[in-house]
Amino acid sequence: MNKTQFNHVYPSELLTGLATSRLQYAFLSASIQMDVFNQIKGKKLTLEQFSKTLHIPASSARALVQNLSNMGLLQYEKGKICNSHDAETFLTDDDITKNFILWLSGYSPSPHKLISILRNPPRQPWYAIRQHKPSILDKFRKKPVQSYFYLESHELRRRWGKELANKYDFSKHTRLLDIGGACGGWTVGVLEKYPKLEAVIFERKEVVEITRAMLSTRPGIADRVQVTAGDFFSSKIPGNCDVVLLANILHDWSVNECQIILQNIIASVRTGTAILINEFFFDDNWKGTNYGALQAMLVLGPEGESGWQPSYSEMKKLLQKSGLHKITEKNNLIIAYKR
């Protein structure tokens, strides 16, 4: 059978890879929980040594290595097994990434559930909060710190803040305004690299005490941060900052509501203020970001009350329409300035 005939019998690797993605998720999750990558960190093992290290039968070790090697997480060369670069870097002693990967892989609705979501998108709580729905507000006030959004992802946001500090030069600024900054993770990550920079975190009144409590555990950071309560749709935005950060904020809201947020910011800050939009941006052909694809579902809501996961060009078009200029992009970041 020649190659053309073979491809008519078996679907492409793309299709079979998508069809077996749940199996890949299971192997990834199980391997993290079995601590596979940490146990072989920095080593090159034979299959027998790998089997003994993990305390599993040789036949199981072979199937595990074949699957993880096919996924690009292990390398099998000349009879020796070792971690791939990505596994060695992120899946050994990096608990933040391991927990993040487990969280990402856990979002897997059944096809029936997914069809239901697509036909009837769920009401997003931030819309209910904005519209002052009592039941949502009561729930939000009681245990906001226990939600994944506010507490569990704080260290992950801190890491993203460090990444932002490495791709954008804050040394030319004196005061950062973090809009919707949650518990301050992004701000902490930036301020750790820039010791002369001060910051304002602008959050809902139900969150500010939690934010202050989280910041109090950061000596040398807390005394450089002011936490201010407000609503970025209607409250006066602090205008004494020369750089504004919107990190994974605009994707929660419709394009029209994004314009309201941007106009409120623009009306408050000084001419020349830099505005940073950090998102998991799609390329203009809507490829290029696995996390952006997940976020597209996480922010999905009913028509007129839905978020959107933007491409670079879509966000730049929105910023231009809002009157910003000198717009540039780099690695999940778009930079613009007030005229």
Side-chain angles (χ1 to χ4, degrees):
M1 181 181 291
N2 63 35
K3 186 174 181 181
T4 302
Q5 292 173 317
F6 183 88
N7 286 341
H8 284 166
V9 175
Y10 294 99
S12 67
E13 287 292 306
L14 168 65
L15 294 177
T16 54
L18 293 172
T20 60
S21 60
R22 283 194 177 189
L23 178 64
Q24 293 179 351
Y25 144 70
F27 268 104
L28 172 61
S29 178
S31 298
I32 291 174
Q33 294 179 52
M34 292 168 65
D35 205 23
V36 170
F37 308 105
N38 201 40
Q39 291 190 68
I40 68 170
K41 182 177 181 180
K43 300 176 182 177
K44 291 188 176 181
L45 305 177
T46 64
L47 184 60
E48 181 181 3
Q49 291 170 328
F50 183 88
S51 171
K52 290 180 178 178
T53 298
L54 295 183
H55 306 289
I56 59 176
S59 55
S60 300
R62 178 183 175 88
L64 178 60
V65 172
Q66 286 178 327
N67 274 272
L68 293 180
S69 296
N70 193 50
M71 293 160 63
L73 296 175
L74 293 182
Q75 291 180 347
Y76 181 72
E77 294 180 356
K78 298 180 180 179
K80 294 294 181 72
I81 301 154
C82 64
N83 287 328
S84 70
H85 175 267
D86 281 346
E88 189 81 2
T89 303
F90 297 109
L91 298 179
T92 51
D93 54 0
D94 183 349
D95 290 336
I96 295 175
T97 295
K98 287 192 286 188
N99 290 334
F100 182 50
I101 292 294
L102 290 173
W103 177 78
L104 285 178
S105 60
Y107 183 81
S108 180
S110 67
H112 177 77
K113 178 66 174 176
L114 180 57
I115 291 170
S116 177
I117 291 172
L118 292 172
R119 287 178 172 166
N120 298 288
R123 190 105 191 278
Q124 295 295 359
W126 45 88
Y127 272 91
I129 290 170
R130 187 191 174 196
Q131 295 162 5
H132 305 291
K133 300 292 184 181
S135 60
I136 295 293
L137 284 172
D138 288 344
K139 183 178 180 180
F140 187 82
R141 290 188 185 104
K142 285 178 183 177
K143 292 186 177 181
V145 74
Q146 294 185 15
S147 70
Y148 177 87
F149 184 84
Y150 282 99
L151 182 62
E152 294 177 34
S153 56
H154 177 76
E155 285 302 316
L156 182 58
R157 286 196 182 95
R158 180 187 169 208
R159 173 172 293 183
W160 287 338
K162 287 183 174 182
E163 179 190 49
L164 174 62
N166 286 328
K167 65 187 177 184
Y168 180 80
D169 181 11
F170 285 89
S171 65
K172 55 192 172 185
H173 299 294
T174 59
R175 197 170 178 85
L176 163 70
L177 173 60
D178 186 353
I179 300 283
C183 292
W186 284 87
T187 292
V188 170
V190 172
L191 265 58
E192 284 177 330
K193 180 169 182 178
Y194 293 91
K196 295 182 180 180
L197 187 66
E198 296 183 345
V200 177
I201 296 175
F202 188 75
E203 253 295 354
R204 293 188 59 83
K205 61 182 180 181
E206 297 90 352
V207 181
V208 292
E209 292 305 318
I210 300 165
T211 305
R212 289 172 182 147
M214 292 292 286
L215 290 172
S216 69
T217 65
R218 300 283 181 184
I221 298 289
D223 58 353
R224 290 190 281 142
V225 182
Q226 173 187 343
V227 184
T228 300
D231 181 331
F232 48 54
F233 283 104
S234 56
S235 301
K236 175 70 174 176
I237 302 291
N240 58 340
C241 301
D242 56 356
V243 56
V244 177
L245 172 63
L246 287 154
N248 296 336
I249 297 296
L250 295 182
H251 71 170
D252 286 336
W253 305 96
S254 70
V255 172
N256 288 340
E257 284 163 314
C258 288
Q259 288 182 298
I260 296 172
I261 295 169
L262 289 168
Q263 289 301 328
N264 194 22
I265 294 169
I266 292 167
S268 300
V269 301
R270 296 170 291 192
T271 299
T273 296
I275 297 177
L276 313 181
I277 313 295
N278 206 108
E279 294 276 359
F280 294 95
F281 288 108
F282 282 105
D283 294 332
D284 292 344
N285 59 3
W286 284 358
K287 293 183 179 181
T289 168
N290 292 328
Y291 193 53
L294 173 66
Q295 289 278 22
M297 289 301 299
L298 295 181
V299 303
L300 177 65
E303 192 71 26
E305 293 187 356
S306 177
W308 61 305
Q309 199 62 27
S311 67
Y312 285 104
S313 63
E314 289 172 323
M315 182 57 70
K316 287 192 286 188
K317 183 178 179 180
L318 174 62
L319 299 179
Q320 289 169 345
K321 188 174 181 179
S322 299
L324 298 171
H325 72 142
K326 296 182 180 178
I327 301 172
T328 57
E329 67 178 69
K330 59 162 67 174
N331 189 21
N332 290 325
L333 177 66
I334 292 181
I335 306 156
Y337 295 87
K338 177 177 176 177
R339 293 182 186 276

